[in-house]
Amino acid sequence: MKPFRVILYYFYAPIENTETYRDEHHLFCVENNLLGRIIIAPEGLNGTVSGTPEDCEAYMNYIRSDERFKDVQFKVDDHDEIAFQKLHVRVKDEIVNSDLNVNPLVRTGKHLEPSELKSMMQDPDVVLVDMRSDYEHEVGKFKGAITFDMHNLRELPDHIHEIEHLKDKKIVTYCTGGIKCEKASAYLLEKGFTDVYQLHGGIIRYGLEEGGEDFDGKCYVFDNRITVDVNQVNPTVISRCYICNDPCDRMINCANAECNTHVPVCHKCGEEMEGACSPECKAHPNKRVYDGTGYYVSNSNHYNPLQGMKSLKKTLKKLKLAAKEQA
């Protein structure tokens, strides 16, 4: 067993007092040494947190002890170190940015267990559709899956025409942990697709429970691991180094803070280009110091997660007062 864990989860359930719950949630994470990103919205929870196995277990028990979230499903992965440098617990309008006028609690695609997907993939009438961003599926995707050239889920309506001819097929949507598909599959149903499924628990759960067979490449994740292995059965590399074009499944963020593009870059080119994606970015005055990982966090300045919550509340209070004065 590795010394730390990374937990990925989401759950749609109404939350009335989001600000109060955010403070309570943040304090629990502080008291249990957990770092990560958690979004609280009127429609539910979405989070990735990291800590020791004991602290992560306490967190899962904390979430499930709330009647609203007792059925939440956690994807748990072991890791050599804590996968975050900070703790952010934020209130937002949605737990995944989409701007799609759908409610997964009313109607969504049929949940498909990883074992069911494995057998369904042999059906010629099944079409897998990737609902992730372009830089995510560039480094890894299911074999034969349809992908869209979109940067976020808000752009999905611009790409529906690309699969209009498949309305009578069995459409299986998938994403990293399942959350985007709750809304994406609901949107497909709204648009007249008749037989829509979603991979329950996403790519991560499929890898953990079914060995990741026929998932080509790696899975992009939103923490300092950047990508993780999924396929333990027939792994392959599908992406190429952005600079030299050699096969490469190692993702970085460009060292130029004003660029920050997500691209595959091999170790050799990473060192030669000092983490930049182009000569222009290498020479840019805002280029960050490359440490070999291609993952950057803002300056912590002796960051304290409890103080971070207090500072956020102070800032929000000032903004509310300013809004009242302007009104």
Side-chain angles (χ1 to χ4, degrees):
M1 182 183 294
K2 294 183 178 180
F4 297 98
R5 284 181 179 172
V6 184
I7 300 174
L8 176 69
Y9 74 96
Y10 73 88
F11 198 77
Y12 282 95
I15 301 176
E16 293 183 2
N17 300 312
T18 52
E19 298 283 348
T20 300
Y21 184 62
R22 187 270 311 279
D23 292 348
E24 174 196 318
H25 204 115
H26 191 124
L27 187 58
F28 182 91
C29 291
V30 170
E31 292 173 343
N32 288 272
N33 312 302
L34 295 158
L35 300 178
R37 295 190 187 98
I38 300 160
I39 296 173
I40 295 170
E43 65 181 10
L45 289 175
N46 175 20
T48 307
V49 299
S50 186
T52 65
E54 294 77 17
D55 291 334
C56 286
E57 195 66 34
Y59 181 77
M60 291 188 286
N61 289 335
Y62 165 71
I63 297 294
R64 285 179 174 147
S65 68
D66 190 315
E67 185 65 23
R68 294 171 294 183
F69 316 123
K70 61 183 177 64
D71 295 323
V72 67
Q73 180 188 86
F74 293 99
K75 278 75 72 177
V76 183
D77 201 5
D78 293 330
H79 196 38
D80 292 320
E81 56 188 18
I82 290 183
F84 292 91
Q85 275 72 43
K86 294 184 178 182
L87 170 66
H88 295 290
V89 185
R90 295 189 171 110
V91 172
K92 294 191 176 183
D93 294 333
E94 297 180 277
I95 56 175
V96 60
N97 292 328
S98 72
D99 292 339
L100 301 176
N101 189 25
V102 294
N103 183 351
L105 291 175
V106 175
R107 184 168 72 153
T108 189
K110 290 168 275 191
H111 283 184
L112 197 64
E113 296 302 313
S115 59
E116 294 175 310
L117 173 66
K118 194 171 182 179
S119 59
M120 274 185 70
M121 282 194 289
Q122 311 306 317
D123 185 339
D125 284 331
V126 169
V127 179
L128 274 69
V129 182
D130 197 314
M131 290 298 172
R132 299 172 302 154
S133 303
D134 45 13
Y135 60 87
E136 296 177 76
H137 59 65
E138 180 182 8
V139 74
K141 66 185 183 69
F142 277 108
K143 196 180 300 296
I146 292 174
T147 59
F148 300 131
D149 185 17
M150 64 181 185
H151 200 65
N152 55 60
L153 195 58
R154 290 190 294 271
E155 298 173 17
L156 178 59
D158 298 330
H159 295 274
I160 288 298
H161 69 276
E162 298 172 30
I163 56 173
E164 285 277 356
H165 61 291
L166 301 171
K167 279 191 172 180
D168 295 326
K169 296 282 188 179
K170 297 175 183 176
I171 303 295
V172 178
T173 64
Y174 72 87
C175 59
T176 305
I179 185 170
K180 288 183 178 179
C181 293
E182 296 282 1
K183 290 191 173 181
S185 63
Y187 184 75
L188 292 184
L189 289 169
E190 289 289 323
K191 291 301 175 181
F193 288 80
T194 57
D195 202 3
V196 183
Y197 301 79
Q198 57 175 295
L199 176 57
H200 194 203
I203 299 163
I204 298 299
R205 186 173 171 224
Y206 180 76
L208 291 171
E209 295 187 9
E210 296 298 327
E213 186 174 0
D214 290 332
F215 184 86
D216 294 338
K218 291 190 176 184
C219 183
Y220 190 98
V221 292
F222 296 87
D223 56 62
N224 63 11
R225 297 172 296 171
I226 304 181
T227 60
V228 296
D229 291 321
V230 173
N231 193 332
Q232 307 299 322
V233 181
N234 54 352
T236 187
V237 177
I238 64 170
S239 50
R240 291 185 172 273
C241 175
Y242 186 78
I243 297 166
C244 72
N245 205 40
D246 282 350
C248 169
D249 58 8
R250 175 181 174 270
M251 292 286 284
I252 69 165
N253 291 346
C254 177
N256 175 9
E258 293 188 15
C259 175
N260 203 45
T261 187
H262 311 285
V263 288
V265 173
C266 68
H267 283 287
K268 182 175 180 291
C269 290
E271 293 298 329
E272 290 177 356
M273 296 296 292
E274 298 175 3
C277 71
S278 68
E280 292 76 17
C281 284
K282 183 179 180 180
H284 200 280
N286 286 340
K287 187 179 75 66
R288 297 166 289 198
V289 176
Y290 178 63
D291 66 358
T293 66
Y295 180 83
Y296 305 94
V297 292
S298 57
N299 191 347
S300 293
N301 292 324
H302 305 292
Y303 167 77
N304 179 298
L306 185 57
Q307 185 59 43
M309 180 176 71
K310 292 177 180 176
S311 298
L312 176 62
K313 293 189 73 173
K314 188 181 293 184
T315 300
L316 290 173
K317 187 176 181 180
K318 287 180 180 178
L319 289 173
K320 287 179 182 177
L321 287 173
K324 282 184 180 179
E325 290 173 0
Q326 289 179 358

Coordinates of all heavy atoms in Angstrom, one line a residue, residues 222-274:
F222 N -6.8 16.1 -13.0 CA -6.6 17.5 -12.6 C -6.0 17.6 -11.2 O -6.5 18.3 -10.3 CB -8.0 18.2 -12.7 CG -8.6 18.2 -14.0 CD1 -9.3 17.2 -14.5 CD2 -8.3 19.3 -14.9 CE1 -9.9 17.2 -15.8 CE2 -8.8 19.3 -16.2 CZ -9.6 18.3 -16.6
D223 N -4.8 17.0 -11.1 CA -4.0 17.2 -9.9 C -2.5 17.1 -10.4 O -2.2 17.0 -11.6 CB -4.3 16.2 -8.8 CG -4.2 14.8 -9.3 OD1 -3.2 14.3 -9.7 OD2 -5.3 14.1 -9.3
N224 N -1.6 17.1 -9.5 CA -0.2 17.1 -9.9 C 0.4 15.8 -10.5 O 1.5 15.8 -10.9 CB 0.7 17.6 -8.7 CG 0.7 16.6 -7.5 OD1 0.2 15.5 -7.6 ND2 1.3 17.0 -6.4
R225 N -0.5 14.8 -10.7 CA -0.1 13.6 -11.4 C -0.2 13.9 -12.9 O 0.5 13.2 -13.7 CB -1.0 12.4 -11.0 CG -0.8 12.0 -9.6 CD -1.9 10.9 -9.2 NE -3.2 11.4 -9.4 CZ -4.3 10.7 -9.3 NH1 -4.2 9.4 -9.1 NH2 -5.5 11.2 -9.4
I226 N -1.1 14.8 -13.3 CA -1.4 15.2 -14.7 C -2.0 14.0 -15.5 O -3.0 14.2 -16.1 CB -0.1 15.7 -15.4 CG1 0.4 16.9 -14.6 CG2 -0.5 16.2 -16.8 CD1 1.6 17.6 -15.3
T227 N -1.3 12.9 -15.6 CA -1.9 11.7 -16.2 C -1.7 10.5 -15.4 O -0.8 10.4 -14.5 CB -1.3 11.4 -17.6 OG1 0.1 11.2 -17.5 CG2 -1.5 12.6 -18.6
V228 N -2.6 9.5 -15.5 CA -2.5 8.2 -14.8 C -2.7 7.0 -15.7 O -3.4 7.2 -16.8 CB -3.5 8.1 -13.6 CG1 -3.2 9.2 -12.6 CG2 -4.9 8.2 -14.1
D229 N -2.1 5.9 -15.4 CA -2.3 4.7 -16.2 C -3.6 4.2 -15.9 O -4.2 4.2 -14.8 CB -1.2 3.6 -15.8 CG 0.2 4.0 -16.2 OD1 0.3 4.5 -17.3 OD2 1.1 3.7 -15.4
V230 N -4.2 3.6 -17.0 CA -5.6 3.0 -16.9 C -5.5 1.6 -17.3 O -6.0 0.7 -16.7 CB -6.6 3.8 -17.8 CG1 -7.9 3.1 -17.8 CG2 -6.8 5.2 -17.2
N231 N -4.9 1.3 -18.5 CA -5.0 0.0 -19.1 C -3.8 -0.9 -18.6 O -2.7 -0.7 -18.9 CB -4.8 0.2 -20.6 CG -5.2 -1.0 -21.4 OD1 -5.0 -2.2 -21.0 ND2 -5.7 -0.9 -22.6
Q232 N -4.2 -2.0 -18.0 CA -3.3 -3.0 -17.5 C -3.3 -4.2 -18.3 O -2.6 -5.2 -18.0 CB -3.6 -3.4 -16.0 CG -3.7 -2.2 -15.1 CD -2.4 -1.4 -15.0 OE1 -1.3 -1.9 -15.0 NE2 -2.5 -0.1 -14.9
V233 N -4.1 -4.2 -19.4 CA -4.3 -5.4 -20.2 C -3.6 -5.3 -21.6 O -2.8 -6.1 -21.9 CB -5.8 -5.7 -20.5 CG1 -6.0 -6.9 -21.3 CG2 -6.5 -5.8 -19.1
N234 N -3.9 -4.3 -22.4 CA -3.3 -4.1 -23.7 C -3.0 -2.6 -23.9 O -3.5 -1.9 -24.8 CB -4.2 -4.6 -24.8 CG -5.6 -4.0 -24.7 OD1 -6.0 -3.3 -23.7 ND2 -6.4 -4.2 -25.7
P235 N -2.1 -2.1 -23.0 CA -1.8 -0.7 -23.1 C -1.0 -0.3 -24.4 O -0.3 -1.1 -25.0 CB -0.8 -0.4 -21.9 CG -0.2 -1.8 -21.6 CD -1.3 -2.8 -22.0
T236 N -1.2 1.0 -24.8 CA -0.5 1.5 -25.9 C -0.4 3.0 -25.8 O -1.0 3.6 -24.9 CB -1.3 1.2 -27.2 OG1 -0.5 1.6 -28.4 CG2 -2.6 1.9 -27.3
V237 N 0.4 3.6 -26.6 CA 0.7 5.1 -26.6 C 0.1 5.6 -27.8 O 0.4 5.2 -28.9 CB 2.2 5.4 -26.5 CG1 2.3 6.9 -26.5 CG2 2.8 4.8 -25.2
I238 N -0.8 6.6 -27.7 CA -1.5 7.2 -28.9 C -1.0 8.6 -29.2 O -1.3 9.1 -30.3 CB -3.0 7.1 -28.8 CG1 -3.5 8.0 -27.6 CG2 -3.5 5.7 -28.7 CD1 -5.0 8.2 -27.7
S239 N -0.4 9.3 -28.2 CA -0.1 10.7 -28.4 C 1.4 10.8 -28.8 O 2.2 9.9 -28.6 CB -0.3 11.5 -27.1 OG 0.2 10.8 -26.0
R240 N 1.8 11.9 -29.3 CA 3.2 12.2 -29.7 C 3.7 13.5 -29.2 O 2.9 14.4 -28.9 CB 3.2 12.2 -31.3 CG 3.0 10.9 -31.9 CD 3.2 10.9 -33.4 NE 3.2 9.5 -34.0 CZ 4.2 8.7 -34.0 NH1 5.4 9.2 -33.6 NH2 4.1 7.5 -34.5
C241 N 4.9 13.5 -28.9 CA 5.6 14.7 -28.4 C 5.3 15.9 -29.3 O 5.4 15.9 -30.5 CB 7.1 14.5 -28.3 SG 8.0 16.0 -27.7
Y242 N 4.8 17.0 -28.6 CA 4.4 18.2 -29.4 C 5.6 18.8 -30.1 O 5.4 19.5 -31.1 CB 3.9 19.2 -28.3 CG 3.3 20.5 -28.9 CD1 2.0 20.5 -29.5 CD2 4.0 21.7 -28.8 CE1 1.5 21.6 -30.0 CE2 3.4 22.8 -29.3 CZ 2.2 22.8 -29.9 OH 1.6 24.0 -30.4
I243 N 6.8 18.5 -29.6 CA 8.0 19.2 -30.2 C 8.7 18.3 -31.2 O 9.0 18.7 -32.3 CB 9.0 19.6 -29.0 CG1 8.3 20.6 -28.2 CG2 10.3 20.1 -29.6 CD1 8.9 20.9 -26.8
C244 N 9.0 17.0 -30.8 CA 9.8 16.1 -31.7 C 9.0 15.1 -32.5 O 9.5 14.4 -33.3 CB 10.9 15.5 -31.0 SG 10.4 14.2 -29.8
N245 N 7.7 14.9 -32.1 CA 6.7 14.0 -32.7 C 7.0 12.6 -32.4 O 6.4 11.7 -33.0 CB 6.7 14.2 -34.2 CG 5.4 13.8 -34.8 OD1 4.3 14.0 -34.2 ND2 5.4 13.1 -36.0
D246 N 7.9 12.2 -31.5 CA 8.1 10.9 -31.1 C 6.9 10.4 -30.2 O 6.3 11.3 -29.5 CB 9.4 10.7 -30.2 CG 10.6 10.7 -31.1 OD1 10.5 10.6 -32.4 OD2 11.7 10.8 -30.6
P247 N 6.6 9.1 -30.2 CA 5.5 8.7 -29.3 C 5.8 9.1 -27.8 O 6.9 9.0 -27.3 CB 5.6 7.1 -29.4 CG 6.2 6.9 -30.8 CD 7.2 8.0 -30.9
C248 N 4.7 9.6 -27.2 CA 4.9 10.2 -25.9 C 3.6 10.4 -25.2 O 2.6 11.0 -25.8 CB 5.6 11.6 -26.0 SG 5.6 12.5 -24.4
D249 N 3.4 9.8 -24.0 CA 2.2 10.0 -23.2 C 2.4 10.8 -21.9 O 1.6 10.7 -21.0 CB 1.5 8.7 -22.9 CG 2.4 7.7 -22.1 OD1 3.5 8.2 -21.7 OD2 2.0 6.6 -22.0
R250 N 3.4 11.6 -21.9 CA 3.8 12.4 -20.8 C 3.3 13.8 -21.0 O 3.7 14.5 -21.9 CB 5.3 12.4 -20.6 CG 5.8 13.3 -19.5 CD 7.3 13.2 -19.4 NE 7.8 14.2 -18.5 CZ 8.2 15.4 -18.8 NH1 8.1 15.9 -20.1 NH2 8.7 16.3 -17.9
M251 N 2.3 14.3 -20.2 CA 1.7 15.6 -20.4 C 2.3 16.6 -19.5 O 2.7 16.3 -18.4 CB 0.2 15.6 -20.1 CG -0.6 14.8 -21.1 SD -0.9 15.6 -22.7 CE -2.1 16.8 -22.3
I252 N 2.5 17.9 -20.1 CA 2.9 19.0 -19.2 C 2.0 20.2 -19.5 O 1.3 20.2 -20.5 CB 4.4 19.4 -19.5 CG1 4.5 20.0 -20.9 CG2 5.3 18.2 -19.4 CD1 5.8 20.7 -21.2
N253 N 2.1 21.2 -18.6 CA 1.6 22.5 -18.9 C 2.8 23.3 -19.3 O 3.9 23.3 -18.7 CB 1.0 23.1 -17.6 CG -0.3 22.5 -17.2 OD1 -0.8 21.7 -18.0 ND2 -0.7 22.7 -16.0
C254 N 2.7 24.1 -20.4 CA 3.8 24.9 -20.9 C 4.3 25.8 -19.8 O 3.5 26.4 -19.0 CB 3.3 25.8 -22.1 SG 4.6 26.9 -22.7
A255 N 5.6 25.9 -19.7 CA 6.2 26.7 -18.6 C 5.9 28.2 -18.7 O 6.0 29.0 -17.7 CB 7.7 26.5 -18.6
N256 N 5.5 28.7 -19.9 CA 5.1 30.1 -20.1 C 3.7 30.2 -19.5 O 2.8 29.7 -20.0 CB 5.1 30.4 -21.6 CG 4.6 31.8 -21.8 OD1 4.4 32.6 -20.9 ND2 4.3 32.2 -23.1
A257 N 3.7 31.0 -18.4 CA 2.4 31.2 -17.7 C 1.3 31.7 -18.5 O 0.1 31.5 -18.3 CB 2.6 32.0 -16.4
E258 N 1.6 32.5 -19.5 CA 0.6 33.2 -20.4 C 0.1 32.2 -21.5 O -0.9 32.4 -22.1 CB 1.2 34.4 -21.0 CG 1.4 35.5 -20.0 CD 1.8 36.9 -20.7 OE1 1.6 37.0 -21.9 OE2 2.3 37.8 -20.0
C259 N 0.9 31.1 -21.7 CA 0.5 30.1 -22.6 C -0.2 28.9 -21.9 O -1.4 28.7 -22.0 CB 1.7 29.5 -23.4 SG 1.3 28.1 -24.5
N260 N 0.5 28.3 -21.0 CA 0.0 27.2 -20.1 C -0.8 26.1 -20.8 O -1.6 25.4 -20.2 CB -0.9 27.8 -19.0 CG -1.0 26.9 -17.8 OD1 0.0 26.5 -17.3 ND2 -2.2 26.7 -17.3
T261 N -0.5 25.9 -22.1 CA -1.2 24.9 -22.9 C -0.8 23.5 -22.4 O 0.3 23.3 -21.9 CB -0.8 25.1 -24.4 OG1 -1.7 24.2 -25.1 CG2 0.6 24.7 -24.7
H262 N -1.8 22.6 -22.5 CA -1.6 21.2 -22.1 C -1.2 20.4 -23.3 O -2.0 20.2 -24.2 CB -2.9 20.6 -21.5 CG -3.5 21.5 -20.5 ND1 -3.1 21.6 -19.2 CD2 -4.7 22.2 -20.6 CE1 -3.9 22.4 -18.5 NE2 -4.8 22.8 -19.3
V263 N 0.1 19.9 -23.3 CA 0.5 19.1 -24.5 C 1.5 18.0 -24.0 O 2.1 18.1 -23.0 CB 1.3 20.0 -25.5 CG1 0.4 21.0 -26.2 CG2 2.4 20.8 -24.7
P264 N 1.5 16.9 -24.8 CA 2.5 15.9 -24.5 C 3.9 16.3 -24.9 O 4.1 16.8 -26.0 CB 2.1 14.7 -25.5 CG 0.7 15.1 -26.0 CD 0.7 16.6 -26.0
V265 N 4.8 16.2 -24.0 CA 6.2 16.5 -24.3 C 7.1 15.5 -23.6 O 7.0 15.2 -22.4 CB 6.6 17.9 -23.7 CG1 8.1 18.2 -23.8 CG2 5.8 19.0 -24.5
C266 N 8.0 14.9 -24.4 CA 8.9 13.9 -23.9 C 9.9 14.5 -22.9 O 10.2 15.7 -22.9 CB 9.6 13.1 -25.0 SG 10.8 14.1 -25.9
H267 N 10.6 13.6 -22.1 CA 11.6 14.1 -21.1 C 12.7 14.9 -21.8 O 13.1 16.0 -21.3 CB 12.2 12.9 -20.3 CG 11.2 12.4 -19.3 ND1 11.0 13.1 -18.1 CD2 10.5 11.3 -19.2 CE1 10.1 12.4 -17.4 NE2 9.8 11.3 -18.0
K268 N 13.2 14.4 -22.9 CA 14.3 15.0 -23.6 C 14.0 16.4 -24.1 O 14.7 17.4 -23.8 CB 14.8 14.2 -24.8 CG 15.9 14.7 -25.6 CD 16.4 13.7 -26.7 CE 17.6 14.2 -27.5 NZ 17.2 15.4 -28.3
C269 N 12.8 16.6 -24.7 CA 12.4 17.9 -25.2 C 12.0 18.8 -24.0 O 12.2 20.0 -24.1 CB 11.2 17.7 -26.2 SG 11.7 17.0 -27.8
G270 N 11.5 18.2 -23.0 CA 11.1 19.0 -21.8 C 12.4 19.7 -21.2 O 12.3 20.8 -20.9
E271 N 13.5 18.9 -21.1 CA 14.7 19.5 -20.6 C 15.3 20.5 -21.6 O 15.7 21.6 -21.2 CB 15.7 18.4 -20.4 CG 15.3 17.4 -19.2 CD 15.2 18.1 -17.9 OE1 16.0 19.1 -17.7 OE2 14.4 17.7 -17.1
E272 N 15.3 20.2 -22.9 CA 15.9 21.1 -23.8 C 15.1 22.4 -24.0 O 15.7 23.5 -24.1 CB 16.0 20.4 -25.2 CG 17.0 19.3 -25.3 CD 17.0 18.6 -26.6 OE1 16.1 18.9 -27.5 OE2 17.8 17.7 -26.8
M273 N 13.8 22.3 -23.9 CA 12.9 23.5 -24.0 C 12.6 24.1 -22.7 O 11.8 25.1 -22.6 CB 11.6 23.1 -24.7 CG 11.8 22.6 -26.1 SD 12.5 23.9 -27.2 CE 11.2 25.1 -27.3
E274 N 13.2 23.6 -21.6 CA 13.0 24.1 -20.2 C 11.5 24.2 -19.9 O 11.0 25.1 -19.3 CB 13.6 25.5 -20.1 CG 15.1 25.5 -20.2 CD 15.7 26.9 -20.2 OE1 15.0 27.8 -20.0 OE2 16.9 27.0 -20.4

